[in-house]
Amino acid sequence: MIRHSELPTSAICAGAWCGGLAAAVVAAPQLPLLGAGALVAGIAMLPLALALRKAWVLLALAMGLFGMARAELPGADPGDAARAAAVAGRAVTLTATVADDARPLGGGFEVLVEPAPPLEIGNVLLRVRSADQVAIGDIVQASGRLVLPREVPDFDRRAYLAQRHAFLELATNQLLVVNHAGGLRTVPGWIRDHYRAAIETILPPPHSAVLVGVVLGVRAGIPAGLNQALIATGLVHLLVLSGLKVAVFARLTTSVLAPLLGRAAPLPVMGLIGLYAVAGGATPAAVRAAAMGGVAILAGWLGRPSHVWTSLAWTGAAMLAWHPELAWDVGFQLSFAGTAAIVILTPPIERRLRWVPHRLREPFAVTCAAQVGTLPVMAQGFHVLSPVAPLANALTLPLLPAVVAAGLVLAPLAAVPDLGAVLVLPLTAALAYIEQVAELLARVPGAAIAIPSFPTWAGAAYYIAVGGILAGARRRGRARRYAWVLAGAIPVLITGAETAAWLAPPASAAILNIGDGEAVLLTGPSGRVLVGGGTSPGRLSAELGARLPPWQRSLSGLVIPDGGLGEVGGLAGIDYSAERVVLPEAPLPGTAWRTVAGAQVARGARIERFHAGQSFALAGLGFDVLAPEAGASAGDDAALPLAIRASRPGGRSICLLGALDQQAQEQVAQRLRGGCDYLLLPGGGRSQPAPGLLGATRQDVIVSTSGNTRLARGLPATIRRTDQEGTIVVEL
């Protein structure tokens, strides 16, 4: 058994394992003997653990070995992603097994399914525009077109779905259930659906949707405006299954079962807590809260003291042992970082807020602590911070236990709708109050601060600084001074190193992941050049914000290859000025390019035009103009776009051919005597390129495309795509 004096040691051990497992997961695919090595080390440590009689050593060892074994087990076929990309755009009739709970959406739902053989393409996300009901294990059939997952601003949706082994999605108007599943695995979905139906019977929308989110953590049916207000004010966590809700649920079930079962009541209570978490979708936050709540109840039943750090560490270790990929899940990171920060920071914050009424003091302190602990994760994962979150939570959290308890107790009143509608009036008032707080505070100027980019190094510096400050506050004398010095020095060194890297970046070409259209950021020894802009100003600004230093608002040059909206639509209103604007020496279609060029001229830029055979220099890079032909007329559309080869003297080159058609590409290929190291396919790869272009490419062929684009046949198997890799950076 674990003695109380050993608890901090066990917490440290398990916590160290949580961090070490992430490294093991990364290394496991490359080191086939990792599992065998861990087993040998475990056997060697077994006598020591038995001699020391420390149960935590055995438990930590067991979890570590199990996690490594899970990482070593043959996972999904790595070729599924490539096969999925190859069939994207194909119309199919899909027969599949439902692999997860359906998630309601406006006018329908989405659900993850596993296609039946011979279609070996991983899982598929079905988006169904109907009111059909499905459960895990159902065999379903759907018809539609397979497409790559659609892009979502400020969220890497494809990476998220890839973690669930889903590389394609299919939209359909109707889903045919071929065979219904049965058994215990359908119980959570049945509970969730019946609870939602009961609440909707006695509560009007949007209060019913908010209550389902508060009680079960299911975010569905909430109006978009209210959802944005909850996010902007930091109240969206109310729609997540948290430790507070698990505690309320445990207290209610215990009060009901204790008179009936006596001392045996904690055992079914733990089972019901697990069912509660699964009914809420078994998210990382729900599993963490349920596991820690179950450990606390079990400790009390056994007459043992519970320790929050030990519970947190063992829960994290067990979850990572079962699913190592959770280390990269934002929900997992937020749940554990937020809980740890609340435990550490809430008491000292409360002590400094004695002048605040007690009812408001604790939720205000809890929110401040959670915000300090999760700031980098929120900034990197959701790109928003809410300064009003502490106030919003102080005004609403005191009501949360009563709302959860009432939501659980009053659901049976759906059997008597008229009586239920009257008895839930106080609950309706509480929900309306929470909604009004969110909507009013969301209108406060600066309620939500958008953070386009938050690099990993900034998060590391932040946590080192916070950790050093906390360590210094708990120490005395020399140790305190050392902690504070390190808290300041290490972040300064990290920031200085990154700033130096920004000031002297290596020559490179970044093909930006902007969806439709093309945009390439060229970095040279003395500046940066932007070629093209795509169609979305928001996507372009976000990508530039992630690639450029925060203080940089000027470019050495802006190259506009074509006058169409597909090349300059993203440049409209761009908050960067250019010293030079390069245009093709030919008539350009449309007027959008005039607006962009005029705005840059107003900022002091000068216009330069070039035709094939000429060259120029920008940012320390050399540019050879490959098209348009000299004297091209407005009727010669094929030769109008500007095509260039950019290179670093003595380094590599990249060819950017804009929207040249195949005839113009053949002319360019004849002019490319030196070839290109990298080629950005013209027209997003929708049409077959000229054979001479592919033959003149020495290294990578790249395409900038959106997820719903079907590429031409016959392209190289090793082609690199921005819709699969994100922004692609190559060295020049």
Side-chain angles (χ1 to χ4, degrees), residues 491-574:
V492 167
L493 290 175
I494 294 175
T495 305
E498 290 296 329
T499 302
W502 261 334
L503 293 175
S508 64
I511 297 86
L512 304 181
N513 180 29
I514 57 168
D516 293 324
E518 298 174 358
V520 181
L521 182 65
L522 300 170
T523 300
S526 58
R528 293 177 171 85
V529 179
L530 178 62
V531 182
T535 61
S536 171
R539 292 286 298 274
L540 179 62
S541 296
E543 287 291 333
L544 290 177
R547 305 296 312 173
L548 296 175
W551 60 83
Q552 182 172 349
R553 289 296 167 186
S554 63
L555 302 168
S556 298
L558 175 62
V559 179
I560 301 179
D562 193 354
L565 285 174
E567 294 296 339
V568 299
L571 298 174
I574 189 173

Side-chain angles (χ1 to χ4, degrees), residues 213-256:
V214 169
V215 174
L216 288 183
V218 178
R219 293 173 57 186
I222 298 177
L226 177 58
N227 189 59
Q228 289 299 321
L230 291 170
I231 294 174
T233 55
L235 292 177
V236 72
H237 71 90
L238 298 179
L239 309 180
V240 176
L241 210 57
S242 63
L244 177 60
K245 299 174 185 178
V246 169
V248 172
F249 180 82
R251 183 170 296 181
L252 286 174
T253 53
T254 301
S255 63
V256 173

Side-chain angles (χ1 to χ4, degrees), residues 266-289:
L267 295 179
V269 168
M270 286 188 290
L272 290 173
I273 288 175
L275 183 61
Y276 180 45
V278 175
T283 62
V287 172
R288 193 271 313 159

Side-chain angles (χ1 to χ4, degrees), residues 79-398:
D80 284 349
R83 288 191 291 269
V87 301
R90 184 183 302 176
V92 298
T93 297
L94 193 70
T95 301
T97 303
V98 176
D100 200 358
D101 291 317
R103 189 171 75 92
L105 296 175
F109 62 92
E110 67 178 23
V111 64
L112 199 68
V113 299
E114 181 181 351
L119 204 58
E120 298 178 352
I121 53 174
N123 294 330
V124 174
L125 184 71
L126 293 183
R127 291 187 288 111
V128 185
R129 292 183 290 271
S130 74
D132 299 330
Q133 298 293 324
V134 295
I136 296 177
D138 286 353
I139 307 297
V140 298
Q141 194 174 79
S143 298
R145 189 174 299 277
L146 292 171
V147 297
L148 295 172
R150 68 186 188 279
E151 299 281 357
V152 175
D154 298 331
F155 175 59
D156 195 345
R157 186 168 179 267
R158 291 187 182 172
Y160 169 73
L161 290 176
Q163 289 180 349
R164 305 169 72 188
H165 198 57
F167 309 101
L168 291 168
E169 63 181 32
L170 182 146
T172 183
N173 291 323
Q174 188 173 7
L175 192 65
L176 175 63
V177 180
V178 178
N179 186 27
H180 287 282
L184 292 177
R185 59 183 177 178
T186 63
V187 173
W190 182 89
I191 293 173
R192 182 166 52 252
D193 293 339
H194 280 72
Y195 178 81
R196 183 188 296 113
I199 294 302
E200 290 175 350
T201 301
I202 58 178
L203 265 179
H207 311 310
S208 56
V210 173
L211 182 61
V212 172
V214 169
V215 174
L216 288 183
V218 178
R219 293 173 57 186
I222 298 177
L226 177 58
N227 189 59
Q228 289 299 321
L230 291 170
I231 294 174
T233 55
L235 292 177
V236 72
H237 71 90
L238 298 179
L239 309 180
V240 176
L241 210 57
S242 63
L244 177 60
K245 299 174 185 178
V246 169
V248 172
F249 180 82
R251 183 170 296 181
L252 286 174
T253 53
T254 301
S255 63
V256 173
L257 295 177
L260 301 175
L261 302 177
R263 180 169 168 74
L267 295 179
V269 168
M270 286 188 290
L272 290 173
I273 288 175
L275 183 61
Y276 180 45
V278 175
T283 62
V287 172
R288 193 271 313 159
M292 292 185 66
V295 168
I297 292 174
L298 180 62
W301 185 61
L302 295 174
R304 307 294 299 176
S306 61
H307 191 277
V308 65
W309 287 112
T310 303
S311 300
L312 186 66
W314 285 123
T315 300
M319 291 175 67
L320 287 176
W322 182 250
H323 281 300
E325 66 274 10
L326 282 176
W328 291 271
D329 186 274
V330 174
F332 178 89
Q333 297 167 5
L334 284 173
S335 181
F336 281 86
T339 302
I342 289 170
V343 174
I344 295 173
L345 297 176
T346 298
I349 294 176
E350 276 196 277
R351 286 195 296 268
R352 289 163 176 78
L353 295 174
R354 297 189 184 278
W355 51 274
V356 178
H358 177 72
R359 285 284 184 180
L360 302 180
R361 185 194 314 153
E362 183 178 4
F364 186 87
V366 166
T367 307
C368 289
Q371 197 153 355
V372 170
T374 61
L375 187 147
V377 182
M378 290 292 295
Q380 192 175 56
F382 299 98
H383 304 284
V384 66
L385 290 179
S386 176
V388 302
L391 176 60
N393 281 273
L395 295 174
T396 56
L397 278 183

Side-chain angles (χ1 to χ4, degrees), residues 14-43:
W17 162 243
C18 291
L21 180 61
V25 173
V26 176
Q30 290 77 31
L31 300 176
L33 297 180
L34 180 64
L39 181 60
V40 172
I43 294 173

